[in-house]
Amino acid sequence: MFTKIIKFKQNNFSFYVIYLYKNQPELIYNAIKKKMQHSPVFFKKISVIVNIYYIKNEINWEKVYNAIISTGINIIGVSGCNNKNTIKIINNTGIPVLFTNNKDNKKIQNIDINEKKINNNIIPKSIIKTIKEKGSLSLKKDVFYNKSKIIYNPIRSGQQIYAYNSDLIVINNVSTGAELIADGNIHIYGFMRGKALSGANGDKNCQIFCNQLFAELLSIAGEYLLQDQIPKKFLGKSSRIYLKNKTVTIKSCN
């Protein structure tokens, strides 16, 4: 009788990426610790990918690695590395080096881009249509999403739902510890107590709509708002969450 031992299956996960712009371990450590002071619960034992694309000179990976993990952050991979010697050093530390699509990398590397306006790890080639002279991304036409993904059952703690290239609609309650991720908008027609991450592919025009807002975390295109940052007047209320001047903003739907 055949007994199944392992199974390979493709899954989708959402990880935060730390982009390094400086090569000094002490500056990196201090910058992370300063960020942690604003949201200590959010950063507790968080796992990240470190992107070193913007480090032009050779990086002292061992010192940078120690600086990051000494803050309590776990590193699960390194991306944006094109130096063969650096790749070898990183691999020797047991950290995997992650590669994006080579064709997309060439497109981005040959253009003088504005670092603050482009994130080549979260913007897929499907929406990289044209690049203006100043270096910011622009679209030739609107991004079209697939048919919305609709969930009728309650989302329990520990569950993660991902709507690839589409909106996500939940016609039920979302428990604490659950996670909703969508490349498009997110609609919750019930109690929302978990995490909601809209615009996962970098679309800053996406929004989140909650019938009764008690969320642990609200995020749009990488910008986020934690539960203790949500004004009390919106708790339990029907709310719309969107980006305004790169800040996650909440507005009542009533």
Side-chain angles (χ1 to χ4, degrees):
M1 181 178 178
F2 175 74
T3 303
K4 183 184 291 186
I5 299 176
I6 65 170
K7 180 180 181 180
F8 284 89
K9 186 177 181 181
Q10 185 177 7
N11 279 303
N12 293 292
F13 296 93
S14 178
F15 294 106
Y16 283 91
V17 181
I18 295 180
Y19 289 83
L20 302 185
Y21 296 90
K22 299 292 183 181
N23 198 10
Q24 294 92 331
E26 186 177 350
L27 292 179
I28 295 170
Y29 174 85
N30 291 334
I32 294 174
K33 294 297 287 186
K34 185 177 180 180
K35 195 78 173 176
M36 285 180 160
Q37 289 175 1
H38 297 291
S39 308
V41 176
F42 176 76
F43 284 100
K44 187 177 181 181
K45 295 183 179 179
I46 190 173
S47 296
V48 303
I49 295 169
V50 179
N51 187 295
I52 61 174
Y53 173 76
Y54 297 105
I55 304 295
K56 300 304 179 184
N57 53 330
E58 191 167 343
I59 187 172
N60 189 328
W61 172 248
E62 185 177 353
K63 289 185 177 181
V64 169
Y65 170 79
N66 289 328
I68 295 175
I69 65 171
S70 62
T71 65
I73 287 178
N74 299 312
I75 300 175
I76 59 173
V78 179
S79 64
C81 183
N82 298 312
N83 185 290
K84 292 182 179 180
N85 185 49
T86 304
I87 291 174
K88 184 177 180 180
I89 293 172
I90 294 172
N91 283 329
N92 288 338
T93 63
I95 302 296
V97 177
L98 310 176
F99 296 95
T100 54
N101 184 281
N102 290 331
K103 188 177 180 181
D104 287 345
N105 283 343
K106 290 178 181 178
K107 284 183 182 179
I108 295 171
Q109 290 169 8
N110 292 334
I111 299 172
D112 183 19
I113 59 176
N114 183 330
E115 296 173 351
K116 295 181 180 179
K117 292 187 178 181
I118 183 170
N119 179 338
N120 65 308
N121 264 38
I122 64 171
I123 301 180
K125 76 176 179 182
S126 60
I127 66 169
I128 298 179
K129 300 297 183 182
T130 185
I131 298 183
K132 292 183 178 180
E133 292 180 359
K134 291 184 179 180
S136 59
L137 281 180
S138 65
L139 303 181
K140 288 182 179 178
K141 54 185 178 180
D142 293 335
V143 178
F144 293 98
Y145 293 107
N146 296 327
K147 186 177 179 180
S148 299
K149 183 171 186 176
I150 304 176
I151 306 295
Y152 295 94
N153 298 324
I155 310 301
R156 307 298 184 187
S157 179
Q159 283 187 279
Q160 183 188 79
I161 307 296
Y162 176 46
Y164 171 73
N165 210 28
S166 66
D167 291 348
L168 176 59
I169 301 173
V170 179
I171 309 178
N172 217 308
N173 298 325
V174 180
S175 299
T176 301
E179 193 170 85
L180 306 179
I181 305 171
D183 289 339
N185 304 298
I186 296 178
H187 303 256
I188 305 104
Y189 297 103
F191 286 94
M192 175 55 195
R193 301 184 184 277
K195 301 181 181 69
L197 297 89
S198 176
N201 65 356
D203 189 347
K204 297 179 181 179
N205 295 315
C206 291
Q207 300 186 36
I208 301 170
F209 301 88
C210 292
N211 211 28
Q212 293 173 294
L213 179 62
F214 297 98
E216 293 177 281
L217 179 143
L218 299 166
S219 174
I220 298 177
E223 304 294 337
Y224 63 89
L225 197 67
L226 296 173
Q227 188 176 50
D228 57 4
Q229 297 173 315
I230 299 175
K232 292 183 179 180
K233 66 179 181 179
F234 294 113
L235 294 178
K237 302 298 176 64
S238 178
S239 306
R240 176 171 71 96
I241 299 93
Y242 59 98
L243 278 185
K244 183 178 181 180
N245 297 325
K246 298 182 180 180
T247 301
V248 178
T249 305
I250 305 177
K251 186 176 181 179
S252 175
C253 289
N254 296 328

